[in-house]
Amino acid sequence: MNVSLNWLSDLLGRKLDPDDVAHRLAMLGVGVEAVERLHQDLGDVVVGLVESAQRHPNADRLSLCVVNAGAGPIEVVCGAPNVTAGRRYPYAPAGATLPGGLTPTSRQIRSGVSTGMTCSARELGPGSDND
């Protein structure tokens, strides 16, 4: 059985140390096979506001977006067909490390410059959905 440390912390009303919880459970006779620290590789990902999104003039399946992730607006070339201005999406700046070792860079894509990338669930790890 998997147990969320956040769920246990909320239930008990205090912050818990994962290794201490595993030790205490083991001492009570509850077998603990592993402590998995999920999403440790998402520290560089932030939430960015897409200020504008328009179809890329030289590519049918790309959009040119202006994303504000707190340090001012930046240009991002995005492959998601459902990106909408005024909504917030996970954003990985250039140089961030994503699950699987993917590292977005600042580069020229067709006629637009992309500085980082907006991320889908598949790119972040919790799902296989590109939406």
Side-chain angles (χ1 to χ4, degrees), residues 2 4-5 25-26 49 59 61 70 76 81-82 86 91 102 105 114 120 122 127:
N2 293 328
S4 164
L5 189 67
L25 288 172
L49 172 66
R61 296 184 178 180
V76 175
N82 59 348
Y91 168 74
L102 178 64
T105 59
S114 185
S120 68
R122 185 180 68 168

Side-chain angles (χ1 to χ4, degrees), residues 48-53 66 83-89:
L49 172 66
V50 174
E51 294 179 346
S52 70
V66 175
V83 67
T84 307
R87 296 196 56 196
R88 297 177 193 280
Y89 299 93

